[in-house]
Amino acid sequence: MTAERSLSAVLNVNDEERAVHLKPTDTLLFVLREKLGLSGAKPGCLNGDCGACTVNIDGLAMKSCLMLAVESLNKKITTIEGLKGTPIQQAFVEHFAFQCGYCTPGFIMNCHAMLNTVPDANDDTIAEWLNSNICRCTGYQEIEGAVRSIVKKNQMNRKRP
Amino acid sequence: MLSFDFDYYQPKSIEEAVQLYHALDREEKHPLYYSGGTEIITLGRLDLVYTNAVIDIKAIPECEVLGTQEGYFVTGSGLTLTAIEENNGFPLLSKAASGVADHTARNKITVGGNICGQIFYREAVLPFLLTDSKIVAAGMNGVRTEHIMSLFNKTLRLKKGELLVQLQTEKRYLNVPYRCVKKRPQWDTGYPLVTIAAIKAEEGIRVAFSGVSPFPFRSREMEKALNENGRIKERILASLQHLPKPVLDDVEGSSEYRLFVLKNTLFDILRELEEDHR
């Protein structure tokens, strides 16, 4: 049990221990961007609707505007900066799955979590997960194409002896 | 960004949480139990929620239980909606949970938070109303178990400082025929125009609603009318005489349109359930 108006904490972000001074009311999004300099998670609606701020917490997609930073203590936080050359990042490039790019980190973090959880996701699963993110440039077809290409690769890899 | 500060507590037992609530209340800190916290954060940002202390219940083991215990399916209040969906031990609850917000948000929203929240749809309560589930609540006088129908009237009527710990559903209800249909104005996420959940119990069909009124409800008068003899359309019209008034009339849809959608959706559900002879 703790009761602190402000506390020094260590967050595990992208496999690094990051010391930070935070208030219990600070959202994880705020701490990532303003205190740790990780600006990949984007502030959009700040209301849990748009998904631009999505990160992974212990492998789960999470809207960082809906989570207090203090809740992420002792958890593994992964932001877009922590993904390096993952298949879904490459697929986004190959399928031109972005236009202005503002929503892209959130989409990629959600897709990354989905592909780790459901590697052979069907169209219904893909649609259900992607409904968590909004792209105002309406580039949904290309994003779905990028995700499907990885699912297809996963399925082909599994068939190989 | 919240415009106010609060203290954050994470008790590890029910007793600790309840005592903490009352101690903080005596200090006029307006404490709130914090589960998923999504509503506290989003409404707090708009100054529609205010507190000086939150008590995070996610480290309390009893609030994280999910599974069968002594003839009941037990759902801990601190469980996320995706955890419930993936477990699927209570299929109607999984279905109702899967309609709330979106997949990522459901990684954070908890069943207890949805039921006790200010946002009035509270769709996760519908399966518990239909199955006469029991509420396990903890207060200064200990833990009590009550039928949900005696505690839920528009909102869950817990005493001040009481903590919703668990919901207990008799196992015999887990596999009865059911339907849960959420109709939105458009798209696949968002608030409902109407949500109807129904089960086919031994004595007949039970129905519960969200989005029709500014509170979820189950109406025994409506169920009585729906289970009379006669044509489905006539039974539906008779049941609507017992609908709580007024029907919602807002940006999601006019009251007339809601009633139109309600009637047609109810028709489909009744026809399907009456043909389901499991």
Side-chain angles (χ1 to χ4, degrees):
Chain A
M1 185 178 84
T2 57
E4 301 283 344
R5 274 288 160 91
S6 102
L7 63 152
S8 294
V10 175
L11 299 181
N12 182 323
V13 187
N14 300 330
D15 292 324
E16 291 180 2
E17 302 289 309
R18 301 287 305 268
V20 64
H21 200 67
L22 53 84
K23 292 193 299 182
T25 45
D26 289 340
T27 61
L28 179 60
L29 175 65
F30 175 79
V31 169
L32 289 172
R33 289 181 61 85
E34 305 299 330
K35 304 211 169 178
L36 296 178
L38 297 168
S39 57
K42 302 296 185 218
C45 64
L46 301 177
N47 197 50
D49 296 324
C50 75
C53 65
T54 303
V55 298
N56 286 182
I57 304 290
D58 288 343
L60 283 177
M62 196 67 71
K63 295 181 180 185
S64 59
C65 73
L66 288 183
M67 184 171 199
L68 300 174
V70 71
E71 289 181 272
S72 67
L73 293 175
N74 304 314
K75 295 185 186 300
K76 187 176 160 64
I77 305 161
T78 309
T79 69
I80 190 70
E81 291 90 343
L83 297 193
K84 295 183 175 68
T86 59
I88 189 64
Q89 288 172 291
Q90 186 61 32
F92 264 61
V93 174
E94 289 169 359
H95 287 78
F96 303 101
F98 46 82
Q99 291 184 43
C100 82
Y102 197 81
C103 68
T104 307
F107 264 106
I108 288 180
M109 295 311 297
N110 189 21
C111 294
H112 181 69
M114 180 184 71
L115 290 164
N116 283 335
T117 311
V118 200
D120 56 351
N122 60 26
D123 286 354
D124 287 346
T125 302
I126 293 170
E128 187 195 5
W129 281 64
L130 292 188
N131 272 335
S132 303
N133 295 67
I134 293 172
C135 169
R136 289 296 72 172
C137 308
T138 66
Y140 297 109
Q141 289 295 325
E142 291 79 7
I143 293 168
E144 285 182 18
V147 176
R148 285 202 191 96
S149 74
I150 301 299
V151 170
K152 197 172 175 183
K153 278 182 188 170
N154 290 341
Q155 291 168 339
M156 287 174 71
N157 286 341
R158 213 174 12 258
K159 282 179 187 166
R160 285 189 186 132
Chain B
M1 196 72 172
L2 298 172
S3 62
F4 53 89
D5 284 330
F6 54 63
D7 294 326
Y8 175 84
Y9 299 84
Q10 194 172 51
K12 291 188 169 51
S13 71
I14 293 172
E15 296 76 17
E16 191 183 349
V18 171
Q19 286 172 12
L20 193 53
Y21 182 99
H22 288 277
L24 292 166
D25 186 53
R26 282 193 295 273
E27 294 173 33
E28 298 185 346
K29 294 209 169 176
H30 314 288
L32 291 175
Y33 290 120
Y34 184 101
S35 189
T38 56
E39 197 172 290
I40 293 174
I41 293 172
T42 54
L43 296 187
R45 195 172 64 83
L46 302 172
D47 287 331
L48 296 174
V49 164
Y50 180 83
T51 177
N52 290 130
V54 298
I55 303 168
D56 189 335
I57 66 165
K58 292 192 288 291
I60 300 173
E62 290 88 342
C63 296
E64 299 296 310
V65 171
L66 182 64
T68 307
Q69 289 180 358
E70 297 172 3
Y72 288 92
F73 186 80
V74 181
T75 307
S77 61
L79 289 164
T80 64
L81 298 182
T82 45
I84 288 167
E85 279 177 74
E86 286 164 11
N87 171 278
N88 203 28
F90 184 0
L92 170 58
L93 178 60
S94 298
K95 178 71 176 165
S98 71
V100 175
D102 59 62
H103 188 272
T104 305
R106 292 196 297 275
N107 284 336
K108 193 72 169 36
I109 298 169
T110 63
V111 64
N114 183 270
I115 291 173
C116 298
Q118 284 191 34
I119 297 172
F120 59 67
Y121 298 104
R122 304 185 194 103
E123 290 153 284
V125 80
L126 302 181
F128 299 111
L129 292 175
L130 290 175
T131 54
D132 288 328
S133 295
K134 292 177 181 174
I135 293 282
V136 179
M140 286 300 272
N141 297 323
V143 175
R144 66 176 173 135
T145 303
E146 302 276 354
H147 279 101
I148 192 167
M149 290 298 278
S150 66
L151 279 185
F152 194 91
N153 181 6
K154 300 182 180 178
T155 61
L156 188 59
R157 305 296 173 114
L158 295 179
K159 293 174 188 164
K160 186 172 184 181
E162 269 192 322
L163 169 66
L164 172 61
V165 179
Q166 293 173 346
L167 298 110
Q168 300 177 340
T169 307
E170 283 182 67
K171 276 173 65 179
R172 65 188 171 107
Y173 285 117
L174 299 183
N175 295 308
V176 295
Y178 72 89
R179 294 293 183 277
C180 184
V181 179
K182 179 169 184 168
K183 297 284 189 184
R184 301 179 181 87
Q186 57 182 351
W187 315 124
D188 296 324
T189 57
Y191 294 130
L193 200 55
V194 296
T195 299
I196 306 177
I199 63 168
K200 189 175 183 181
E202 285 172 8
E203 80 288 357
I205 287 168
R206 302 177 183 179
V207 284
F209 305 86
S210 170
V212 180
S213 304
F215 49 83
F217 66 93
R218 174 185 166 196
S219 164
R220 293 193 193 280
E221 292 79 11
M222 289 183 72
E223 287 173 6
K224 187 169 181 293
L226 290 172
N227 285 299
E228 294 286 352
N229 291 323
R231 295 171 60 193
I232 291 180
K233 276 186 182 174
E234 290 162 1
R235 286 184 275 148
I236 290 173
L237 289 175
S239 76
L240 294 181
Q241 302 301 313
H242 303 285
L243 206 58
K245 300 287 189 306
V247 172
L248 276 173
D249 189 330
D250 60 18
V251 69
E252 306 292 340
S254 66
S255 57
E256 291 83 1
Y257 186 55
R258 272 193 159 87
L259 278 170
F260 172 76
V261 174
L262 176 67
K263 275 189 276 192
N264 286 299
T265 309
L266 203 47
F267 182 87
D268 291 341
I269 288 174
L270 284 184
R271 193 176 53 186
E272 288 173 19
L273 280 180
E274 288 180 354
E275 287 172 1
D276 191 330
H277 298 296
R278 260 185 282 172

